[in-house]
Amino acid sequence: MPAMKDEVDRSSLLSLRQWITVEGPNSRDAVLRKTAVARGLALILRHIARTGIGRYGQNDKHVDPIFAALHQHVLGLKSRSLADDAHVDNFTLEIIDGRPVVLSCVSPSVNLVLEAGDTENAILPRHESLESWTIDLRTSPTDVSHPPTTGMSNEDSDALLTKLGDLLYKLYSGNPNLCATTAKEVNPIAFQRLNVDDDVVGGHHRQKRRSTAVTMLGQFGERHAQLKDLGVPDVTACLVRDLLEVSLGDFRPDTSVASIEEVCEELQLMHEKSGIFMFASPIVEQPRLEIDTTVLYGREDEMSRLLSVHDRLRDTGESEAILIDGYSGCGKTSLARSVIPHVERAGGYFIGQKLDVLTSSPVALVLNAFDMLPPLVLKMCNPCEVESIKRDLCSIFGDQLASLVRLLPNAALLRTSTWSSPPSASQLDGKLRVDYTLQLFARIISSRQRPIVLHLDDIQHTDQYSLDLLQHILCDIKGCSSILFVGSFRSNELGDEHPVNGFMRKLDRNGTLTSNIHLGGIKLESINALVSNSLRLVPRYCKDLSREIYRRTDGNPLFAIETLRSFVGTGLIEYRLRQRRWCWDIDQIGDVKLSDNVSDLITLKIAALPEKNRQALKALSCFGSSANHDILNTLSMELENLQLGCSDELVNAGLLNKNDTGYNFSHDKVLEAAVSLFPTEFERADCHRDIGRILLDAFDTGVLECVGIVADQCNLGLASEAHVACTNMARLNEKAAASALKKANRKSALHYSSNAMRHLPENCWQSERDLSIRVYLTHAKSAALNGVVNEAKVAINKLLPYANAIDKMAALSLKSSILASSRQIQEALATIVGALSDLGETIPQTYDEETREELFALTLQTISQHSISEVSEFKLVSPEDAAAAIIHFYYLAIQLSHLLHPNVLIIFACKSVMASMKVGWTKCSCFSLAVFGSRALVRGLVDESLTIGFSALKLMERFSDADDQKTFVYGVYYGTIANFNTPFQLCCERLNHGKEIGLFHGNHMGAIWNGNFFLHSGLLAAIELSKLQKECKYQEGIVEGDKDQYFGTTAAYTDLVKNTLDILTGDKPFSGRIEGDWPCPGANVIRYEFLKKYHHSVRAFWTRDFSQCVWCTSFLEDMYKNLPTSIMIKFYGGLAGYCLSESETENSMIDVAIATMKEKEAKCAHNFRNKRLLLEAEKLSRAGEVEEADIAYLSAIEAACKARFVHEQGLACELA
């Protein structure tokens, strides 16, 4: 018996395979039309949909026999986990008269509790022949002894059927809510009727063959409705019906299922999107159309490109930029945001902001985007990573962490327990270097494992300042930040001259990879997927509707969505409760004329809303693309049309999106339509005014803190009036401008300060003097930062007659800075000297050399008498004291004097130190004291110079707000003085720190000055040349932003170092002549000419042009003989003299060099001992004292190694 049983199984399976007729070579052509397979699949699917799968596959004898038979006999799968195969044997196929015949089950399903008297015989009638379903009377009969072949091998057929069974199992296993059994309690009468009908219909078929297809289709349609009455999902019931109809030969190309492969695809779709298609409970009320606008249709290739860029960023760690362009509504934003799940799964951060036509300051949105990072860090990172980031922030930012919090308030979330509070408002002058601060922040937060994806939407509304900021962040060649910038914009709104084009070119020049993705319309198949998901119908039912939508919209996703919504809104597509599905008449839809513009559709949609909803949209449009909850909560208490419930209704209508921070318009076109609801600009201004008044009251009472938003609404409410004298408005805009300056948002600061000026009364100096001073001073700062120099000068000149000493100091300081940046150095100095004269200081017009030296000697004597090293005993002056203004103006004069002759510099340095000792010391005194110490060094007073310079450092420690002074003090002390008692390497570290502080405080001149000193000292400290080249390139980037400032002198000094490094690394040949022209004749050209000789000496020595090196040594001037660069020229000259030919040998230089090294070695052996030993070794070698020379060479090598002077260690080895 077992052998006979196996043979029957095999023959049954073979017979079923043979009756799957095909018309092509692959499995997709396995046609179901007019075959028994269609009916067989329909009955199996119908049974599973009604009863569920049970516990097939578990080690349990309670197994659904129908599904077990499907797997084991029909699909050819052998289950190893079935405990009782007797249940399976009850469902078999046999061959009777050459035709496969289905034998029904004789026992009920174990996992289905039937009503009394019911059996499973009703499901598949006993001995029902498939012959009646496979032979169409209109076709010639088939030879029963030669059934049609499938065109597939048994293995292919098995694979296809196995796929079908597996999909059924995945779809229904363990999900009882998807089958009709659970609907018995919902609709028991319908459930009983379905079983009774099965008995009746089964008996009818056993006695009578079908007469026409129409009668059978009606019966199948009735079954279809009954299944849905039981809660079976519509797509399942429809698939059962369609399979039965196809088995009768009723095949419709658009909607009928044509192959087993298509059945598998449909089941796969049901499985993957069960939430859309497999809703279990019967629908008893009218649903609304739900379109998931977060799903991206038809952009698989573009998404793949975007993800590949992100993955490449994770591999390389190097920042990249990608632009997405296309017309409005094509899905640019959706494409950019589609990477969010991938980024988050990979451990990265996604941040983004949207710009719009109402955006007054794009840079503020960039800062808002970066301010999203601290909460994401706490969310994404484990505790160890968070603590590491906190430590890095504290270590790298140090005292400047407050500057970061000024820009990014959420950075306070990453503070350590020892972090101090931000500085007082007096320190915040609007000069913060935003790009550098964000660079450092991005280096700490991002990494190859956790990159940042920054998305800015609609960057056609951005400006040059914000793009420059992004460029500096992305092109951070010094750091290791990993950022993917994704910018999206409308193709038709970006001309050739738009700053975005220049931004991309700059990125290319700086080596940042860039790419572009262009979006057009999506294909018909994607429109069909959108319609299918929205209507919860499988795609084949939606083809005619999708073609009509595609014809009207040309594949624009937004247009397609709004067209679909319009069809529903006008009743062309309606949900019918009887059919439990969306229905339409395609001919009627085709005859309807709709607008060919998506904006018109949205406008019509908004026009159909209730009045309160339209008013809410109008109010929300006053805030641009989004509004936060705090604002809306405040307004909802006063404006009836802005109740939160009303906003939620707009979300349901697809016009707004709701997020954690507030509400935003679902698309730009919706915002544009909402703005167009205002019939005139005057009515819109009235709305702004009403909103502004409510927000201003809340701001004045401390309920709101967003002063910028409050000021925007008030300003827009009064925009139509040329001049409105309003003290409150002037005060509000001045506060908004000051707030913007604190965040280095210079464009917004100018916008607000200009409005503040506009609202001042005509007699402001008499009625509102203090307010007027603040407004004018703030406006002058804002205008100067934005390059509107003349406007800043006018504001300062109007302010000065009414200002007190403190305000006058601030105004004149600003004026001198403006003049200096405009290359008006003499005018700037004249302004400062005039201010000092007004304060009682005497500044002679000229000084001869004798008088200068007498002033220097007097100052030095006074310093000695006051015990300058006892810094703790110094008398300090409060910043509010009038005497502080004197020291401050001297401080400004010293800065400007660096660009003139050093003789002028020493005058102001001496006068400043003398004034400090007389009236008291301020933080500005530190720089004056350091400069005086450097002048003492030039005069050969090394000990005095070291004492004075170190006192300047100690004095800074007495001021809690002296960070902004470190830049210049570090430059002077570690760039010159400290070289004689501090290792060169440590000097480099402090100079680099001084540069970073300068960048934090917006002190570009000080940052560049420290940077150049660092590069010069880096050559002395033997820092690796490739690292110095990288630092030099970074320095060039800093200089590039201010290359014209101070006559281009900053660029000239940087070029000297760059050319030297290029020559030493072999990137550029040595020409043998001194290169470099001073860009500012008449200014401090002497020091520049000296530095040219130093660099020429370095280049000549290391390229073995020894005669040029010796020539440089002969031109040393006494003024610079004690500078470290002069000492190195002597060192190179001394060695070069012995390297020349016998006829050119210069022996006298080496003795001078040795004497100089001995003198300096006494104070800092680390820097000079190895050099002295090498010079002596060369002298001994030339004198023929070989043994003594060898000992000296070894000592020189050992000393160079100990001091980490690798290049000089190698030189000693070579000469030895």
Side-chain angles (χ1 to χ4, degrees):
M1 282 295 291
M4 182 180 298
K5 176 75 170 59
D6 292 341
E7 185 161 345
V8 170
D9 287 345
R10 286 195 295 271
S11 64
S12 300
L13 180 61
L14 176 61
S15 300
L16 186 60
R17 287 199 196 103
Q18 290 173 331
W19 285 104
I20 305 175
T21 60
V22 298
E23 298 177 357
N26 59 53
S27 62
R28 187 168 183 84
D29 297 320
V31 178
L32 292 173
R33 183 177 181 181
K34 294 183 293 186
T35 65
V37 177
R39 177 170 171 77
L41 291 177
L43 295 177
I44 291 171
L45 179 59
R46 182 166 172 261
H47 169 76
I48 295 173
R50 290 177 56 201
T51 66
I53 283 179
R55 288 176 287 182
Y56 173 75
Q58 297 182 12
N59 190 16
D60 195 312
K61 66 178 181 179
H62 301 300
V63 177
D64 187 321
I66 298 292
F67 188 76
L70 172 69
H71 262 247
Q72 184 161 335
H73 289 282
V74 179
L75 304 185
L77 299 178
K78 301 298 181 181
S79 173
R80 298 179 181 177
S81 59
L82 291 179
D84 185 1
D85 287 341
H87 297 292
V88 178
D89 294 336
N90 293 331
F91 181 72
T92 61
L93 293 174
E94 290 185 4
I95 304 299
I96 301 177
D97 296 331
R99 299 295 183 187
V101 175
V102 180
L103 298 181
S104 68
C105 299
V106 296
S107 62
S109 174
V110 176
N111 71 327
L112 176 62
V113 180
L114 298 175
E115 300 293 339
D118 289 341
T119 68
E120 282 294 323
N121 293 342
I123 298 177
L124 292 176
R126 179 182 297 275
H127 291 91
E128 181 179 346
S129 174
L130 296 181
E131 179 180 3
S132 61
W133 304 103
T134 58
I135 300 177
D136 194 324
L137 297 178
R138 293 170 293 177
T139 61
S140 58
T142 304
D143 185 354
V144 297
S145 61
H146 297 88
T149 61
T150 64
M152 292 186 293
S153 66
N154 289 349
E155 291 78 8
D156 293 337
S157 180
D158 280 347
L160 185 59
L161 293 172
T162 300
K163 179 179 180 182
L164 175 66
D166 286 344
L167 284 171
L168 286 171
Y169 181 73
K170 290 177 181 177
L171 189 61
Y172 281 97
S173 177
N175 195 353
N177 293 326
L178 297 181
C179 63
T181 306
T182 59
K184 283 171 56 181
E185 297 179 1
V186 178
N187 196 345
I189 297 176
F191 187 85
Q192 184 176 9
R193 178 187 172 194
L194 184 59
N195 286 325
V196 172
D197 286 346
D198 279 331
D199 289 331
V200 174
V201 175
H204 173 75
H205 279 291
R206 285 192 294 271
Q207 296 175 12
K208 181 179 178 181
R209 298 172 61 91
R210 66 184 175 91
S211 57
T212 63
V214 176
T215 59
M216 294 306 301
L217 289 176
Q219 293 168 352
F220 295 152
E222 187 177 354
R223 293 309 194 306
H224 167 261
Q226 290 171 352
L227 281 174
K228 288 201 292 184
D229 286 341
L230 292 174
V232 173
D234 178 74
V235 291
T236 306
C238 287
L239 181 57
V240 171
R241 180 197 64 188
D242 292 344
L243 286 167
L244 293 174
E245 290 177 351
V246 167
S247 71
L248 289 175
D250 185 11
F251 183 82
R252 295 178 296 277
D254 272 355
T255 59
S256 293
V257 58
S259 67
I260 295 180
E261 184 66 24
E262 287 191 12
V263 174
C264 291
E265 289 178 358
E266 207 153 288
L267 293 173
Q268 181 72 35
L269 186 65
M270 297 177 196
H271 172 61
E272 292 177 349
K273 299 183 178 180
S274 58
I276 294 177
F277 297 111
M278 302 300 285
F279 48 93
S281 301
I283 298 176
V284 295
E285 61 181 15
Q286 183 76 26
R288 62 183 178 87
L289 179 67
E290 295 182 356
I291 302 179
D292 189 353
T293 55
T294 63
V295 177
L296 196 62
Y297 295 96
R299 301 299 186 192
E300 291 78 14
D301 292 341
E302 292 85 352
M303 188 187 302
S304 177
R305 284 186 57 193
L306 194 55
L307 292 178
S308 66
V309 173
H310 173 264
D311 293 340
R312 181 170 65 233
L313 173 66
R314 286 175 55 83
D315 290 337
T316 65
E318 297 178 359
S319 297
E320 296 192 30
I322 186 167
L323 294 186
I324 305 173
D325 72 283
Y327 290 105
S328 178
C330 66
K332 303 180 294 294
T333 304
S334 298
L335 175 61
R337 296 185 63 82
S338 68
V339 303
I340 293 179
H342 181 80
V343 171
E344 291 181 346
R345 283 195 302 270
Y349 313 105
F350 185 95
I351 56 177
Q353 290 287 311
K354 180 178 180 59
L355 294 88
D356 56 56
V357 292
L358 298 179
T359 302
S360 60
S361 177
V363 72
L365 294 182
V366 176
L367 294 174
N368 289 343
F370 276 90
D371 199 33
M372 297 168 64
L373 284 171
L376 287 177
V377 168
L378 297 177
K379 174 185 175 182
M380 303 288 295
C381 299
N382 60 51
C384 293
E385 289 178 298
V386 173
E387 288 302 317
S388 176
I389 289 173
K390 288 181 178 181
R391 288 194 300 269
D392 289 343
L393 283 172
C394 186
S395 172
I396 294 176
F397 279 88
D399 296 335
Q400 308 307 317
L401 191 56
S403 299
L404 176 65
V405 176
R406 285 167 54 190
L407 290 179
L408 312 176
N410 280 332
L413 297 173
L414 300 176
R415 65 178 181 266
T416 60
S417 58
T418 59
W419 183 70
S420 59
S421 59
S424 61
S426 61
Q427 287 181 249
L428 309 179
D429 58 1
K431 294 182 179 180
L432 186 67
R433 185 77 183 239
V434 182
D435 54 355
Y436 183 69
T437 305
L438 292 184
Q439 276 181 356
L440 287 184
F441 184 64
R443 293 177 198 170
I444 296 170
I445 299 298
S446 69
S447 64
R448 182 177 299 180
Q449 293 74 28
R450 295 193 182 276
I452 297 172
V453 178
L454 168 62
H455 174 223
L456 289 186
D457 196 11
D458 285 337
I459 59 172
Q460 70 269 17
H461 300 305
T462 191
D463 59 8
Q464 188 64 58
Y465 179 43
S466 56
L467 290 174
D468 287 343
L469 172 62
L470 289 173
Q471 178 209 334
H472 287 301
I473 297 172
L474 294 172
C475 300
D476 183 12
I477 60 173
K478 184 179 178 182
C480 54
S481 56
S482 299
I483 302 176
L484 172 58
F485 171 69
V486 182
S488 51
F489 62 92
R490 296 183 187 178
S491 304
N492 57 328
E493 296 185 12
L494 197 70
D496 294 337
E497 301 301 321
H498 196 281
V500 170
N501 297 313
F503 164 70
M504 295 299 284
R505 288 193 293 269
K506 289 179 181 178
L507 292 182
D508 285 332
R509 286 199 301 268
N510 284 278
T512 301
L513 286 179
T514 60
S515 52
N516 180 268
I517 295 178
H518 175 73
L519 299 184
I522 59 178
K523 297 179 180 179
L524 174 60
E525 293 79 4
S526 301
I527 293 290
N528 195 32
L530 186 157
V531 175
S532 168
N533 290 348
S534 301
L535 300 182
R536 292 190 165 192
L537 296 172
V538 291
R540 56 191 171 89
Y541 289 143
C542 306
K543 289 182 180 178
D544 57 348
L545 179 60
S546 299
R547 277 194 293 266
E548 180 63 23
I549 293 176
Y550 183 80
R551 181 184 67 81
R552 294 171 179 266
T553 64
D554 200 25
N556 183 283
L558 176 65
F559 201 178
I561 289 172
E562 293 305 322
T563 300
L564 182 60
R565 284 174 171 161
S566 177
F567 287 160
V568 173
T570 55
L572 294 172
I573 301 176
E574 59 180 353
Y575 191 88
R576 296 177 183 171
L577 289 175
R578 181 174 179 80
Q579 284 86 352
R580 306 288 169 83
R581 54 168 287 182
W582 294 95
C583 301
W584 61 88
D585 185 332
I586 194 61
D587 294 330
Q588 184 183 2
I589 288 177
D591 293 337
V592 172
K593 302 296 182 184
L594 292 178
S595 173
D596 58 357
N597 187 301
V598 66
S599 298
D600 293 341
L601 289 181
I602 296 174
T603 301
L604 291 172
K605 179 179 179 178
I606 292 176
L609 293 173
E611 176 63 20
K612 65 172 185 176
N613 288 359
R614 293 200 302 273
Q615 292 299 324
L617 282 176
K618 290 169 65 176
L620 288 171
S621 71
C622 292
F623 296 95
S625 60
S626 63
N628 63 50
H629 286 306
D630 291 339
I631 295 292
L632 296 181
N633 288 334
T634 302
L635 292 177
S636 65
M637 293 185 290
E638 301 290 338
L639 299 179
E640 182 180 353
N641 57 11
L642 263 183
Q643 300 300 317
L644 294 183
C646 182
S647 300
D648 291 336
E649 291 176 12
L650 294 172
V651 172
N652 294 333
L655 298 171
L656 296 180
N657 295 325
K658 186 177 182 180
N659 51 49
D660 294 338
T661 59
Y663 293 87
N664 63 278
F665 284 92
S666 59
H667 197 273
D668 292 343
K669 293 296 184 182
V670 180
L671 172 59
E672 293 171 7
V675 171
S676 68
L677 292 175
F678 292 106
T680 65
E681 287 298 322
F682 293 104
E683 184 174 335
R684 185 179 175 189
D686 289 341
C687 187
H688 282 296
R689 187 183 298 113
D690 293 340
I691 292 173
R693 286 170 179 166
I694 297 172
L695 297 183
L696 183 57
D697 290 341
F699 176 76
D700 289 339
T701 57
V703 176
L704 286 178
E705 297 181 357
C706 44
V707 62
I709 296 177
V710 177
D712 285 338
Q713 294 301 314
C714 293
N715 291 332
L716 290 169
L718 300 175
S720 59
E721 304 179 33
H723 176 78
V724 180
C726 180
T727 302
N728 288 338
M729 286 296 295
R731 184 176 291 106
L732 173 65
N733 278 280
E734 191 279 327
K735 290 180 179 179
S739 176
L741 284 175
K742 292 175 183 179
K743 295 186 176 182
N745 190 349
R746 59 190 187 189
K747 185 176 179 180
S748 291
L750 181 59
H751 169 74
Y752 294 129
S753 66
S754 298
N755 277 289
M757 295 277 287
R758 186 167 69 93
H759 291 298
L760 283 174
E762 293 183 0
N763 63 338
C764 62
W765 297 113
Q766 289 74 34
S767 61
E768 295 288 343
R769 177 178 173 276
D770 291 341
L771 174 62
S772 300
I773 289 174
R774 291 202 310 274
V775 169
Y776 271 81
L777 188 57
T778 301
H779 183 62
K781 289 181 180 180
S782 303
L785 289 171
N786 282 275
V788 191
V789 176
N790 290 333
E791 192 169 335
K793 290 180 181 178
V794 170
I796 291 172
N797 292 334
K798 288 184 179 180
L799 161 69
L800 287 175
Y802 304 97
N804 56 30
I806 300 299
D807 293 328
K808 184 175 291 187
M809 179 183 71
L812 289 174
S813 299
L814 179 60
K815 183 177 182 179
S816 64
S817 298
I818 294 172
L819 292 170
S821 62
S822 304
R823 300 194 175 195
Q824 296 175 292
I825 302 297
Q826 295 291 358
E827 293 85 344
L829 275 174
T831 300
I832 293 172
V833 170
L836 286 169
S837 298
D838 292 341
L839 293 170
E841 291 293 300
T842 302
I843 309 295
Q845 298 296 318
T846 58
Y847 275 92
D848 55 28
E849 184 176 352
E850 181 179 353
T851 306
R852 285 196 302 272
E853 292 305 318
E854 288 179 358
L855 179 60
F856 176 82
L858 176 62
T859 306
L860 184 61
Q861 180 182 358
T862 306
I863 285 176
S864 301
Q865 292 173 351
H866 280 74
S867 301
I868 195 66
S869 60
E870 300 295 330
V871 177
S872 59
E873 303 299 326
F874 285 4
K875 173 189 173 183
L876 304 184
V877 176
S878 169
E880 287 74 26
D881 196 306
I886 298 174
I887 310 303
H888 184 78
F889 282 119
Y890 276 126
Y891 166 76
L892 296 176
I894 293 171
Q895 288 188 43
L896 293 176
S897 297
H898 269 285
L899 304 176
L900 300 173
H901 198 279
N903 293 336
V904 180
L905 175 66
I906 189 60
I907 293 172
F908 288 113
C910 291
K911 295 288 288 183
S912 177
V913 173
M914 293 289 283
S916 297
M917 288 187 289
K918 179 181 178 181
V919 301
W921 299 82
T922 72
K923 65 177 183 178
C924 294
S925 303
C926 303
F927 179 48
S928 304
L929 193 60
V931 170
F932 183 82
S934 69
R935 295 302 92 191
L937 178 65
V938 170
R939 287 163 173 76
L941 305 173
V942 178
D943 291 336
E944 292 83 348
S945 173
L946 290 170
T947 301
I948 295 171
F950 188 73
S951 298
L953 292 179
K954 298 298 291 183
L955 179 61
M956 280 196 303
E957 296 177 1
R958 295 194 60 187
F959 299 95
S960 60
D961 60 345
D963 283 342
D964 56 338
Q965 299 299 307
K966 289 181 180 179
T967 301
F968 281 119
V969 174
Y970 279 12
V972 173
Y973 182 75
Y974 291 107
T976 56
I977 300 173
N979 287 286
F980 297 107
N981 71 343
T982 306
F984 287 142
Q985 292 87 349
L986 181 58
C987 290
C988 287
E989 291 179 10
R990 304 315 295 166
L991 288 168
N992 193 49
H993 184 53
K995 178 181 71 176
E996 292 173 349
I997 295 173
L999 291 175
F1000 274 125
H1001 288 275
N1003 185 353
H1004 302 152
M1005 180 61 183
I1008 294 169
W1009 191 22
N1010 275 262
N1012 285 331
F1013 269 128
F1014 168 80
L1015 293 172
H1016 283 98
S1017 297
L1019 290 171
L1020 302 176
I1023 295 177
E1024 186 180 348
L1025 292 179
S1026 60
K1027 182 179 179 180
L1028 282 178
Q1029 279 187 309
K1030 187 174 182 179
E1031 293 285 349
C1032 188
K1033 188 175 181 181
Y1034 185 73
Q1035 176 81 356
E1036 286 182 290
I1038 301 173
V1039 172
E1040 180 69 21
D1042 297 282
K1043 60 183 178 182
D1044 291 329
Q1045 189 166 344
Y1046 302 109
F1047 311 115
T1049 57
T1050 55
Y1053 281 117
T1054 304
D1055 284 342
L1056 278 179
V1057 185
K1058 177 183 181 300
N1059 291 331
T1060 297
L1061 291 171
D1062 289 343
I1063 291 171
L1064 295 183
T1065 55
D1067 295 340
K1068 180 180 179 180
F1070 177 54
S1071 64
R1073 56 187 176 84
I1074 297 181
E1075 298 175 338
D1077 296 322
W1078 183 240
C1080 180
N1084 191 2
V1085 69
I1086 298 178
R1087 179 172 174 80
Y1088 180 75
E1089 290 297 325
F1090 162 72
L1091 285 175
K1092 281 171 60 177
K1093 291 186 177 67
Y1094 162 70
H1095 281 279
H1096 188 70
S1097 174
V1098 173
R1099 300 169 189 173
F1101 180 81
W1102 292 105
T1103 57
R1104 298 179 177 275
D1105 192 341
F1106 299 121
S1107 59
Q1108 286 289 318
C1109 187
V1110 171
W1111 175 82
C1112 287
T1113 307
S1114 62
F1115 280 90
L1116 281 176
E1117 300 180 30
D1118 289 342
M1119 178 181 293
Y1120 299 107
K1121 64 182 180 181
N1122 286 302
L1123 295 181
T1125 46
S1126 296
I1127 296 171
M1128 292 305 298
I1129 291 177
K1130 294 178 181 179
F1131 172 67
Y1132 292 136
L1135 291 177
Y1138 275 140
C1139 294
L1140 295 172
S1141 63
E1142 291 293 335
S1143 59
E1144 298 178 306
T1145 297
E1146 178 61 64
N1147 295 329
S1148 60
M1149 288 186 177
I1150 199 165
D1151 294 328
V1152 175
I1154 290 173
T1156 301
M1157 297 303 161
K1158 282 184 177 180
E1159 178 187 351
K1160 305 308 176 188
E1161 183 185 351
K1163 300 195 178 292
C1164 187
H1166 178 96
N1167 290 342
F1168 302 104
R1169 174 175 167 76
N1170 75 295
K1171 298 173 180 59
R1172 189 260 306 169
L1173 290 171
L1174 182 57
L1175 288 168
E1176 290 179 345
E1178 276 291 281
K1179 183 176 181 180
L1180 291 170
S1181 177
R1182 183 56 61 96
E1185 301 178 19
V1186 179
E1187 292 183 3
E1188 291 82 350
D1190 289 342
I1191 295 173
Y1193 279 128
L1194 290 175
S1195 299
I1197 292 171
E1198 181 181 354
C1201 179
K1202 184 177 180 180
R1204 291 177 291 146
F1205 295 141
V1206 181
H1207 60 321
E1208 290 170 3
Q1209 180 184 355
L1211 177 63
C1213 292
E1214 180 183 348
L1215 293 176

